[in-house]
Amino acid sequence: MTTKVCTSSGHDPDSLAGGRIQHMSLSQCSLQDPKNYGAKTEDVLLRPRSRSFYSYDTSTLDSDCDVGNESNPGRQRSNSLHHELHGSVISEKSKSKPNKLSTSREPKGTKANVKPVAMLTISELDNWEISSGSGLKYGQFVDWERIHPEAAQRYRQILKSGHRELKRMARDGFWTAPHTLRAKAYHHIIHSFNYSTSVTPDRDVYHELANKLFGEHKTSSHPVPEYMEAEEIPRYCLNKAGRNSAKKVLLCLGKSFPDINHCPVLPALVALVLHFSQDEADCFHSVSKLICYDDPDLRYVDRTFLTYHASCMTFGDLANRCCRGIRKLIASSHQSLFEFYSDWIMWTFADLPFTYAIRVLDVYLLEGYKILYRVALALLSLYKASVSSRVADVENFRTDMKGFVQNIERHCTTEQLLERAFVIPVATRRDLDLLFNANIESLMQKGISSNQKRQSVETVDFSGFSSSVVTGSEMSVVWAWIPERFALFSPIRLFSTAEHGRSLVSFYSHVEGHHPAILIIKTEDEEVFGAFLSTDLTERHQHDSEQTRYFGTGECFVFTLRPCMERYQQPMVSIMTRGAFPRQDPRYLMISGTGPTQYQRTAKISKRPKEQEASMFLAASDSQFIIGGDGGHALCLQEDLTAGYSEACDTFKSIPFCKGQFRIQSLEVWGIQHSISLSHCFPSQ
């Protein structure tokens, strides 16, 4: 595919190539000295965007004039003169039928309300038409800070604030208006980043790349960057010149960062940052700083398909804990969970309306990926409530979710969405980092490398699954509940009462050395329930005390399959075994040989403080095997594996799975096929 580039006739090509012209974006224009941009407020000359930009969609126009000019002849003549001075040609707007794509719904059916801007996505099939000109300059004769003195005062407060205070400001919407205040806040935040090793491409690099790529030619052709998903760029209210500038920045980023082979969020990020940049070079520099930021606790952009898909899996794990029922809903419809979750980051930017996306960007610049997880989880919880009543009418959950996000204003306001996101119990940054690295490791075991571009990841096929306890369909639901990094691989039977006999001794001998494992029980009353055991049962040997001691991680959960399907798990405790391994080592999340946790508790039924509940997952002795120990046992199996009992358990917030005691008809334990092979690669520590 190729991209066509056009040069505006209003600029001198020689000066353009030399980078001497300060090009301004259409969303904010200024002739101020860049040196004073982040330090002074008295001499800044910035023009906020006109009201018509926020109120109308200009997608149907082939020129850069405002929609509102038609009703204001004087203003139209002024704009026409302005365009002529810059070498642009304005075509007279014809009275044509309204574009169906740009129609917008009137909120609450009231005609008096201002219509929101419709979210449209540009999709060029074969090429990009790009102008090497960078937009108009206007407002340079006005001291806008005298018009908005409160904004100048707020900016001085921003400059004095530390990171923690800036996070609070971002969440509270401190710099949401006027437009210039947000632009200066972004500049201050992004250009305050500290880097350990990487060198960020700057404005000069952009001018050099732009000169090589576009030069003095009126038109030129370029391939669409390979890292883009479906060649789509969110419109975000950008006019024709603005979209042209976004494409130029994206092409230059592709040349500057050749290691980026898959980054679907980058077009949305560029389109948003362009709104608040001095010119194309400033936008390029700002986005480059986000790409280069190398703090693992505050990462911004995934560069490869491997890291991007690991992020999707991490989100899937969080969704499994925070949005109960959505995975089962999609899995039971035989649609791909991987495909559904692969769009999660697009929900947070590209699919959201502009006013929602910039509020997400406010917080994203201070909090990184974690806020995107929060917002996506908030959207998913809203979607679950919406789709529950119309599941039968949904043909494709992936497409339906996209449409839901694009029309999110029907369900909540911008601030309501953020408020919902902030109260969601998300794992700590340390846990998220460990989980992300573990997901990368699993993908690499599936043969995916950092150099490979977008590709499909095979999912487990349960059509040939055989078990005396569960059906293939039921096992697929269980597989939808377990962590993403394990769901990549097929199940393998480790133990069966029909094959290995009924005793805990035999049970331990076949299950120890393998983790994770899935225990499934079928009672004589045809009830089916079980548990996901995230920790190797060899940990039971780590204690010299005669008392039963608890071990396990926050990924443990219990479930029922018959008579109803339900999973029980704490919404969010520490996902990982605390204190087991060094910070960047994800191995104990994947394989056998995990070291003992330092947070073990004595097995008692009495009520425990919240900080102790998280550790009371598993307890094993020669006489009994216990799952859940706070307030009651979710499951307790006898030594001969013929009977057991189930109680309400605060560890998992679960109800009794049966009435008191139960008789075991059949019991099976299933392992993860890759964990057995990996145990030879990573010896226990």
Side-chain angles (χ1 to χ4, degrees), residues 145-324:
E145 291 198 351
R146 292 190 177 184
I147 297 178
H148 300 288
E150 183 182 354
Q153 183 179 0
R154 288 194 169 210
Y155 181 58
R156 285 190 288 270
Q157 187 174 344
I158 290 171
L159 293 178
K160 297 177 182 178
S161 301
H163 187 268
R164 183 181 296 273
E165 181 63 17
L166 287 173
K167 283 177 63 176
R168 184 193 63 78
M169 290 178 175
R171 291 191 175 198
D172 294 342
F174 185 79
W175 52 69
T176 54
H179 184 87
T180 52
L181 176 60
R182 180 181 255 133
K184 295 173 74 175
Y186 283 4
H187 186 278
H188 171 68
I189 293 167
I190 294 175
H191 292 267
S192 297
F193 287 168
N194 294 319
Y195 301 87
S196 59
T197 55
S198 57
V199 178
T200 307
D202 56 14
R203 298 173 59 89
D204 292 338
V205 172
Y206 177 78
H207 289 305
E208 292 175 4
L209 288 171
N211 184 38
K212 292 179 181 179
L213 289 172
F214 317 121
E216 303 176 7
H217 304 287
K218 189 170 184 179
T219 60
S220 57
S221 298
H222 305 271
V224 174
E226 294 183 353
Y227 60 77
M228 289 180 57
E229 183 78 27
E231 301 93 42
E232 294 184 353
I233 302 177
R235 186 178 296 272
Y236 283 146
C237 306
L238 293 174
N239 58 20
K240 187 176 181 180
R243 298 193 296 273
N244 174 79
S245 294
K247 294 173 183 177
K248 291 176 62 183
V249 172
L250 287 167
L251 287 168
C252 289
L253 287 172
K255 294 295 182 180
S256 185
F257 297 96
D259 60 320
I260 299 180
N261 61 40
H262 190 81
C263 188
V265 75
L266 199 55
L269 202 56
V270 167
L272 283 174
V273 174
L274 186 62
H275 276 265
F276 308 98
S277 300
Q278 298 181 71
D279 51 25
E280 294 167 0
D282 186 46
C283 178
F284 171 85
H285 189 198
S286 295
V287 176
S288 295
K289 290 178 88 61
L290 295 177
I291 294 173
C292 290
Y293 196 70
D294 52 7
D295 185 345
D297 287 340
L298 196 66
R299 62 191 181 90
Y300 288 96
V301 177
D302 289 320
R303 300 192 188 192
T304 66
F305 177 83
L306 175 64
T307 57
Y308 171 75
H309 201 79
S311 296
C312 295
M313 292 169 62
T314 303
F315 173 75
D317 289 326
L318 297 176
N320 202 13
R321 302 175 68 97
C322 300
C323 300
R324 292 176 56 181

